[in-house]
Amino acid sequence: MSDTDAPSSSTDGSPSALREGDAPHLPADLDAVREALVEWYRTDHRAFPWRRTEDPYPILVSEVMSQQTQLDRVVPAWEDFLDRWPTPADLADADRADVVAFWSAHSLGYNNRATYLHEAAGQIESEYDGSFPETPEELQELMGVGPYTANAVASFAFNNGDAVVDTNVKRVLHRAFDVPDDDPAFERVASHAMPTGESRVWNNAIMELGGVACGKKPRCDEVGCPWREWCHAYQTGDFTAPDVPTQPSFDGSRRQFRGRIVRLLGEHDEMALDALGHRIRVDYAPDGEYGREWLRGLLSDLADDGLLAVEETGEETTVRLRR
């Protein structure tokens, strides 16, 4: 990973080699930029509990829970989850239906993430003898762990990751150094900016900057942004940011009703199709717009995710969580 002070215009294809136009306003004294950000982060940052550990298991749980869920809502769910299943072995031994029911009860959304986490815990026990893999490449072998999550766990648990590039980081780099709205450019600049061997503190710091100082509404002076003296947006007053896809509304969505199904089935061994329909929707009518056909579509999605089983006995249809 490049650790030079001046931007490079190399086109040798290496991930950290900057190209012309990648960061028109990246300062020559990159060490000063790095030191300012790290000092700002170490002086004061949000005290999320997973930032107080280097144990990869609670860090993985926090990363999976944090996907499309506000961090303040994640904290109590994360604490409850680890109270119930404090180690990967405990989670691997758990009934999958209990894990899914917990996930749904805490409104974490996308219940298949609970099954992936349960499956990953089983892999750690059976394939890695209870020890976590440590590199981003190895961590991606775990069920449901994609490149971003793998890199985050490698960074925060093992200080062994690459530069994290999420929505917050893109917004920071775009505003501060005029990086174009182009994923490969963001990755090159992020990689170039991160000091070698410092992925734990650096990735935490730059994500904190995006979450606290450089959000959709910037708070540069209010929180003492450490990059004000170099920031292109601060100097010009142009705080536009890369486009961020709008999340669809949760209320009334198929995701909301799938969550209701999982919660109900977590309370009952099994339920008949129509009884389930009436419990999850007040305007359920077997032959109506929101009736059996609509409900079977939801159940099919959940069955495809391995969350439940649908059994047909004559004219009777019953549904239960998989265990």
Side-chain angles (χ1 to χ4, degrees):
M1 194 175 302
S2 176
D3 199 26
T4 58
D5 288 337
S8 165
S9 59
S10 169
T11 56
D12 64 7
S14 61
S16 60
L18 297 193
R19 302 180 184 182
E20 186 174 355
D22 272 355
H25 294 275
L26 186 67
D29 188 1
L30 196 51
D31 280 341
V33 174
R34 292 165 173 159
E35 290 167 8
L37 176 60
V38 171
E39 181 180 358
W40 173 83
Y41 174 75
R42 284 178 168 155
T43 299
D44 184 26
H45 60 261
R46 292 172 295 178
F48 295 120
W50 47 84
R51 285 179 168 171
R52 298 195 292 266
T53 182
E54 295 176 9
D55 183 338
Y57 173 61
I59 290 173
L60 175 62
V61 173
S62 75
E63 288 296 328
V64 174
M65 285 188 172
S66 299
Q67 295 167 14
Q68 300 184 347
T69 304
Q70 292 179 339
L71 295 181
D72 289 342
R73 287 179 50 221
V74 170
V75 172
W78 180 85
E79 292 172 339
D80 290 349
F81 190 96
L82 293 176
D83 282 344
R84 188 163 181 180
W85 301 293
T87 68
D90 293 318
L91 182 58
D93 288 341
D95 190 310
R96 181 172 62 176
D98 291 339
V99 180
V100 173
F102 173 98
W103 206 265
S104 183
H106 284 74
S107 301
L108 292 167
Y110 299 103
N111 293 317
N112 57 344
R113 286 183 291 154
T115 65
Y116 293 154
L117 194 54
H118 181 251
E119 191 74 23
Q123 286 180 267
I124 290 163
E125 293 305 305
S126 63
E127 300 176 21
Y128 295 93
D129 296 324
S131 297
F132 258 77
E134 298 186 8
T135 68
E137 294 75 20
E138 292 171 329
L139 283 158
Q140 285 187 67
E141 297 299 317
L142 299 179
M143 178 65 71
V145 176
Y148 177 86
T149 300
N151 188 50
V153 174
S155 294
F156 304 141
F158 303 110
N159 198 29
N160 190 33
D162 300 316
V164 165
V165 182
D166 68 355
T167 299
N168 284 336
V169 172
K170 290 179 181 181
R171 184 169 56 247
V172 167
L173 296 178
H174 180 80
R175 287 175 174 168
F177 308 134
D178 202 17
V179 178
D181 188 0
D182 173 73
D183 285 349
F186 282 126
E187 291 174 6
R188 289 191 294 269
V189 175
S191 183
H192 183 79
M194 186 179 77
T196 301
E198 297 291 339
S199 63
R200 177 182 291 126
V201 66
W202 179 262
N203 284 330
N204 266 319
I206 197 168
M207 292 168 68
E208 184 78 352
L209 188 66
V212 170
C214 200
K216 292 180 180 179
K217 182 180 179 181
R219 303 168 63 213
C220 318
D221 296 323
E222 182 181 351
V223 300
C225 173
W227 281 0
R228 284 172 292 177
E229 67 178 278
W230 300 287
C231 177
H232 177 65
Y234 190 76
Q235 304 303 326
T236 64
D238 180 5
F239 286 93
T240 55
D243 290 335
V244 178
T246 301
Q247 290 294 327
S249 173
F250 179 72
D251 289 339
S253 67
R254 291 173 65 84
R255 181 159 60 96
Q256 182 183 44
F257 288 106
R258 288 197 297 265
R260 290 180 181 177
I261 290 170
V262 171
R263 281 194 293 275
L264 269 174
L265 293 177
E267 300 168 2
H268 303 270
D269 289 336
E270 63 180 28
M271 293 189 71
L273 184 70
D274 288 340
L276 177 63
H278 286 297
R279 288 289 300 276
I280 67 166
R281 187 164 192 137
V282 295
D283 58 349
Y284 177 85
D287 298 322
E289 178 181 2
Y290 298 108
R292 290 171 182 161
E293 183 176 354
W294 169 82
L295 179 55
R296 286 183 182 278
L298 299 177
L299 298 177
S300 178
D301 291 345
L302 292 167
D304 288 345
D305 287 337
L307 298 177
L308 54 79
V310 180
E311 297 180 356
E312 306 281 354
T313 306
E315 296 183 0
E316 184 71 16
T317 299
T318 56
V319 189
R320 60 176 175 79
L321 287 181
R322 288 190 181 275
R323 298 188 179 274

